[in-house]
Amino acid sequence: MKGSVIKFLCFFCLPVLFYSCSETKSLEEGQYLYDGAKIKINAKPPLTHKKEKELRNELETLLRPKPNGSFLGIKVKLLLYNFAGKPKGKGLRYLIREKLGEPPVLASYSAMEKNRAVLQNRLENRGYFKDTVMLDTTYKGRKLSAVYTAEIGLQYTIRNVVYPSSPDSLSQQIARMAPRSLLKKGQPYNLDVIKNERARIDTRLKQRGFYYFRPDNLLIRVDSTVGNQQVDMTLIIKKSTPEEAYKIYRINEVVVFANYDVHTDTTMDVATLPKFQGYTIIDPDKMFKPQIFSRALVFKSGDIYNRRDHDLSLNRLISLGVFKFVKIRFDEKDTAQNKLNAYYYLTPTEKKSIRFEVSGLTQSDDANGGQFSVNWRNRNIFRGAELLTTTVYLGYLRQNLGKGIYTNTTKLGADINLYVPRVIGPVKFQTNSGFIPKTRFNIGYEYFNQSAEYTLNSFKASFGYVWKESITKEHTLEVLRVNLVNPTHIDSLYQLQLDTNIVLARSIEKTFIIGPTYNFNYNSQLQRNHNKNNFYFNGNIDLSANILGIASGANAQKNGVQKTIFSVPYSQYIRGEVDFRHYLSFSEYTVLASRLTGGMGYAYGNSYTMPFVKEFFAGGANDIRAFRSRSLGPGSYYAGNRDTAFIADQPGDIKIEMNTEFRFKLFSVFRWAFFIDAGNTWTLRYDSSRVGSQFTNNWLNEIAVGVGTGLRLDISILLLRLDLGIPVREPWLPPNGQWVFDSRNAVINFAIGYPF
């Protein structure tokens, strides 16, 4: 009976299911499913392979509409749409059809003919004049695809470019821009380059006071009749250009409405109002100190109008973070003297805000828990555009140690940050960016309790600066940073474990860190672009008590005595860390992401080892994903059987890690990825409790490798990630048996956001 049922499903139900999912099932009589288009290029003389590929790719981006999307050659969303049929209500079939499915893209001759005209126009814009694009169609059942054939000859090139030579100041300024022109002799004719040249000239003129000039005032006349597939270009100022476009304008008055809304009276005579450092500040409620405007605004009375200063002032006002809307208007004050009044209309944002956050956490080391936090912000707390942020949090974590043993961790803390939009202190940062340098003050406290075993009290404070060169480059300098960790109430039974486990003892040792840090970050993706290659770099150097240790003559490793502050030995070390990433984009959702990261910490003078909180760890959801969190290494050391015993955090002084991940769109909001992770940590010095942990010439043979795949749910504001990692190289095994592939050791990681 069972065999008969299987035969019934195979020979009857499957064909029915296939028919119900047919790609062309929902088409009406006379309709054809649009199956995409191909572009053929017949060039005489032939183009190089690279140039032909670039031209074809450019033309393909112009084709509309796009055919139904497919995965591995199957139009999954279209099949779901057809499978659901026509639902009668908003049930499951409606959800499948309208939310997961996609209606068929129908072939339309008018749309294909429009594509042909668009392709023809684009070729002309690229210098392929008097050439032809032909349209043909092919049928396969009820599917239709288009074929566009471009018959092209030689691409026209630029022979001469002539700039204006009239004696007026506008023509002379344009003529001076010729040496850096985008229009180069011998280069192919390109309409986009012509437009960019007009925009370039307009930008340069705006930086030299020609406020009323517009790109449309400039005409670039092209003569394609000069022969030899060449063109001559002549730049001409249109006769319709208004008189004011020929004039250089200066700034007269700078007026700031600091608390503007639609009811604000803007008709007063600003010339009669008091000024602060040359600015007229209208702020009846005294919401802001006038100094913030003198630091943010670049224009001053008497300056020649400059678009760069115009944009710089706007960006700085926005970066203050206290204004919801920022607008500027220029009015011509004196026609005879060519002067402009600049009016800034600033609408403050909400001064105070509070946010509550609840988060859940699950880790690959069998730890589960969550955290509740309250975040309070006060913008402009001292009327100088300062930002005060206060966070209070309570977290709980329960971890299964195996054999029915659990440990509970509770932490309670507060963190306070104050950002002041100016440099406080004797230092100066020269920056022409739209971001005002900020001074940052931080203070925080955390109470940490693990079951009845021990408690930790952690205090931190810092003072430093944050400044940006541009939107992609940021510097952070902590001039002074203090961190004190003090364990208390250590249980007597737990103390016995500390006496026999040096790694466990180091995790709760007394720590006093005092010194500066510097961090540089570059991220090309912060600036919107369509580059095929994008880069990320973060470099950090961390110093503690270097000058203090040298001045006090600390040498604990030689004499066995550590000097203290507040009865706590201070740490003396140098630590550096780098993180380099490369993103190779094949399309909007198809990316090959790679990362090379690592660092090293060296303890000396007053310290025997690096502080535990400054050590490096390997393994986890954002690290080498085939190994449990912070459990890998160091070196060839193995902490125990992962299936039967708890693996404590394994710190190292050196870390090297490499990751590569291929990401692509599955369908709708679902993404998929395949990845390879490799790396490890090591100690600088010999560790008798962890034999094999020291960095040696054999380090390459101690690299751990993991492979895996993962599903991602990208809902724009949140990305949920589920990765499965499998170890394929375990460095603690004998050299001839390190390469393994055992799914029994697979690690599942659930996380938020991409790993890098």
Side-chain angles (χ1 to χ4, degrees):
M1 182 68 180
K2 183 177 180 181
S4 299
V5 172
I6 295 175
K7 290 180 180 179
F8 175 83
L9 291 174
C10 293
F11 291 99
F12 180 78
C13 294
L14 290 180
V16 172
L17 179 61
F18 177 80
Y19 172 77
S20 68
C21 293
S22 172
E23 294 177 341
T24 59
K25 176 189 173 185
S26 61
L27 298 182
E28 298 179 1
E29 187 67 27
Q31 291 182 333
Y32 289 88
L33 181 68
Y34 180 62
D35 204 27
K38 293 182 180 179
I39 294 178
K40 295 182 179 180
I41 297 176
N42 294 333
K44 296 180 182 179
L47 301 175
T48 63
H49 176 73
K50 180 180 179 182
K51 193 169 185 179
E52 181 177 334
K53 182 179 179 181
E54 290 175 350
L55 181 60
R56 183 183 293 107
N57 291 339
E58 181 181 355
L59 296 178
E60 285 176 349
T61 62
L62 303 174
L63 298 177
R64 299 291 186 274
K66 299 295 183 183
N68 292 100
S70 63
F71 176 69
L72 299 178
I74 302 174
K75 301 181 187 299
V76 178
K77 299 178 75 174
L78 175 59
L79 293 179
L80 290 173
Y81 181 90
N82 291 339
F83 174 75
K86 295 182 179 180
K88 296 180 180 180
K90 292 191 175 182
L92 178 60
R93 293 175 63 187
Y94 175 86
L95 176 65
I96 295 175
R97 179 184 173 98
E98 302 298 330
K99 302 300 181 181
L100 300 179
E102 180 182 71
V105 178
L106 302 179
S108 166
Y109 180 79
S110 61
M112 291 185 288
E113 175 57 30
K114 184 177 180 180
N115 279 334
R116 190 203 65 78
V118 169
L119 297 180
Q120 180 76 55
N121 181 260
R122 177 54 64 93
L123 287 173
E124 292 176 357
N125 292 344
R126 293 292 177 265
Y128 296 99
F129 299 140
K130 302 176 183 179
D131 296 312
T132 303
V133 177
M134 296 177 293
L135 167 65
D136 194 9
T137 57
T138 60
Y139 295 84
K140 187 177 181 180
R142 300 194 65 182
K143 297 181 181 179
L144 183 150
S145 59
V147 179
Y148 301 93
T149 304
E151 301 282 351
I152 62 175
L154 280 173
Q155 189 177 19
Y156 278 64
T157 58
I158 301 173
R159 189 180 73 166
N160 292 310
V161 181
V162 180
Y163 277 74
S165 57
S166 300
D168 60 88
S169 60
L170 177 60
S171 297
Q172 293 299 310
Q173 288 287 352
I174 295 175
R176 291 192 186 102
M177 300 177 192
R180 295 188 178 182
S181 173
L182 303 178
L183 305 173
K184 305 291 186 183
K185 292 182 180 181
Q187 292 295 315
Y189 172 93
N190 190 321
L191 183 61
D192 288 343
V193 176
I194 293 175
K195 292 179 179 178
N196 291 339
E197 175 65 4
R198 290 204 313 173
R200 184 188 74 90
I201 292 173
D202 174 66
T203 300
R204 297 296 184 272
L205 291 174
K206 289 291 196 303
Q207 292 170 359
R208 299 175 186 180
F210 293 91
Y211 174 75
Y212 286 106
F213 186 84
R214 298 291 180 266
D216 291 341
N217 298 144
L218 188 64
L219 176 67
I220 300 181
R221 183 173 294 165
V222 179
D223 183 0
S224 61
T225 65
V226 297
N228 296 324
Q229 311 296 118
Q230 293 180 313
V231 298
D232 285 346
M233 296 183 176
T234 305
L235 281 71
I236 301 171
I237 300 174
K238 292 181 180 179
K239 293 182 179 180
S240 60
T241 301
E243 182 182 351
E244 57 266 24
Y246 286 84
K247 299 177 181 178
I248 295 176
Y249 283 82
R250 292 182 178 272
I251 302 300
N252 183 46
E253 298 276 358
V254 180
V255 184
V256 178
F257 293 92
N259 187 13
Y260 174 79
D261 60 31
V262 293
H263 305 293
T264 301
D265 181 13
T266 61
T267 61
M268 69 279 291
D269 184 3
V270 297
T272 63
L273 298 177
K275 292 179 173 53
F276 177 82
Q277 297 183 4
Y279 299 104
T280 302
I281 313 297
I282 301 175
D283 185 11
D285 299 326
K286 305 297 182 183
M287 290 185 64
F288 301 96
K289 295 178 180 177
Q291 290 89 341
I292 69 172
F293 302 111
S294 62
R295 288 193 291 265
L297 299 178
V298 182
F299 281 137
K300 290 182 171 58
S301 180
D303 288 351
I304 293 177
Y305 172 83
N306 187 311
R307 174 57 65 87
R308 185 188 293 113
D309 293 344
H310 174 158
D311 294 338
L312 190 60
S313 296
L314 290 178
N315 290 336
R316 287 184 171 183
L317 289 170
I318 293 171
S319 71
L320 287 173
V322 293
F323 298 111
K324 185 188 302 182
F325 303 111
V326 176
K327 296 190 300 182
I328 185 172
R329 179 174 63 88
F330 291 92
D331 278 350
E332 191 171 353
K333 174 63 178 177
D334 191 325
T335 306
Q337 297 184 14
N338 304 332
K339 290 187 176 181
L340 299 170
N341 280 349
Y343 297 92
Y344 290 89
Y345 303 96
L346 313 178
T347 303
T349 189
E350 294 79 5
K351 183 177 181 180
K352 299 177 182 179
S353 64
I354 189 168
R355 184 175 74 250
F356 299 89
E357 293 182 355
V358 179
S359 61
L361 173 67
T362 179
Q363 297 178 172
S364 59
D365 55 359
D366 295 325
N368 300 277
Q371 181 169 296
F372 173 76
S373 62
V374 181
N375 302 277
W376 182 73
R377 285 175 169 248
N378 189 320
R379 303 173 181 87
N380 197 41
I381 185 171
F382 302 121
R383 298 192 307 113
E386 304 89 356
L387 172 63
L388 177 69
T389 66
T390 302
T391 301
V392 179
Y393 58 90
L394 173 64
Y396 175 79
L397 194 69
R398 181 178 175 86
Q399 186 174 34
N400 184 355
L401 304 182
K403 299 181 180 181
I405 302 175
Y406 292 85
T407 182
N408 302 311
T409 300
T410 304
K411 61 179 180 179
L412 172 66
D415 194 70
I416 301 173
N417 288 281
L418 175 64
Y419 295 89
V420 181
R422 59 189 177 92
V423 176
I424 299 177
V427 297
K428 290 185 178 181
F429 300 109
Q430 297 296 332
T431 174
N432 293 320
S433 77
F435 303 90
I436 296 177
K438 296 181 180 181
T439 302
R440 176 177 178 262
F441 299 90
N442 169 261
I443 187 170
Y445 169 79
E446 181 177 278
Y447 170 82
F448 184 97
N449 177 273
Q450 181 162 307
S451 297
E453 297 168 342
Y454 68 91
T455 62
L456 288 177
N457 292 279
S458 175
F459 170 82
K460 65 176 182 177
S462 66
F463 160 76
Y465 308 102
V466 180
W467 74 100
K468 281 191 171 187
E469 286 184 51
S470 64
I471 193 172
T472 60
K473 298 178 183 179
E474 182 178 73
H475 304 260
T476 303
L477 173 64
E478 288 185 322
V479 179
L480 180 64
R481 172 195 43 115
V482 177
N483 188 7
L484 173 64
V485 179
N486 188 30
T488 58
H489 306 296
I490 300 175
D491 181 73
S492 57
L493 294 178
Y494 191 69
Q495 184 63 53
L496 294 177
Q497 298 182 48
L498 301 181
D499 295 338
T500 57
N501 189 327
I502 188 171
V503 174
L504 198 61
R506 286 190 56 206
S507 68
I508 65 167
E509 64 187 354
K510 289 184 177 182
T511 304
F512 189 91
I513 298 171
I514 178 170
T517 66
Y518 169 74
N519 192 88
F520 170 74
N521 182 271
Y522 170 80
N523 187 353
S524 66
Q525 292 179 313
L526 293 177
Q527 190 169 34
R528 188 173 182 180
N529 66 75
H530 299 285
N531 297 338
K532 189 172 184 178
N533 295 281
N534 275 287
F535 300 92
Y536 172 96
F537 175 81
N538 193 85
N540 178 277
I541 185 167
D542 183 354
L543 308 175
S544 177
N546 300 108
I547 297 177
L548 177 62
I550 294 173
S552 62
N555 195 342
Q557 297 183 27
K558 182 178 180 180
N559 54 38
V561 179
Q562 289 182 294
K563 298 185 180 295
T564 63
I565 298 178
F566 305 122
S567 301
V568 178
Y570 60 82
S571 298
Q572 188 175 354
Y573 64 82
I574 300 174
R575 183 184 189 273
E577 187 174 9
V578 294
D579 185 348
F580 175 77
R581 307 173 190 178
H582 173 244
Y583 301 92
L584 176 61
S585 300
F586 299 97
S587 67
E588 182 179 0
Y589 298 108
T590 306
V591 178
L592 180 65
S594 303
R595 175 175 67 176
L596 175 62
T597 183
M600 183 175 73
Y602 175 68
Y604 69 103
N606 202 52
S607 295
Y608 302 108
T609 59
M610 289 287 295
F612 190 82
V613 295
K614 294 295 181 179
E615 291 275 50
F616 298 98
F617 299 88
N622 297 319
D623 205 89
I624 306 174
R625 285 161 280 183
F627 298 86
R628 298 175 67 179
S629 178
R630 298 161 66 101
S631 68
L632 177 60
S636 61
Y637 173 74
Y638 183 43
N641 189 323
R642 74 176 74 194
D643 297 320
T644 60
F646 169 62
I647 303 175
D649 293 343
Q650 296 299 322
D653 304 317
I654 301 173
K655 180 175 182 177
I656 300 174
E657 182 182 340
M658 297 151 285
N659 315 84
T660 296
E661 180 172 283
F662 183 66
R663 304 166 182 167
F664 57 93
K665 182 177 181 178
L666 197 57
F667 62 90
S668 185
V669 296
F670 293 94
R671 313 284 185 263
W672 199 269
F674 296 99
F675 58 83
I676 301 175
D677 301 325
N680 206 339
T681 61
W682 294 266
T683 60
L684 273 174
R685 299 180 175 92
Y686 176 75
D687 187 342
S688 60
S689 66
R690 297 186 294 171
V691 177
S693 65
Q694 188 176 13
F695 187 85
T696 66
N697 294 333
N698 195 44
W699 68 272
L700 195 58
N701 294 323
E702 296 173 345
I703 293 289
V705 181
V707 299
T709 186
L711 177 68
R712 289 87 195 275
L713 177 64
D714 187 353
I715 52 177
S716 185
I717 61 173
L718 179 68
L719 185 136
L720 301 177
R721 173 166 55 93
L722 184 66
D723 287 336
L724 173 68
I726 299 176
V728 295
R729 190 172 195 242
E730 298 178 336
W732 54 83
L733 296 177
N736 59 351
Q738 289 183 338
W739 290 98
V740 297
F741 188 92
D742 189 353
S743 59
R744 292 176 301 174
N745 290 334
V747 175
I748 296 177
N749 295 289
F750 177 76
I752 297 175
Y754 284 112
F756 55 90

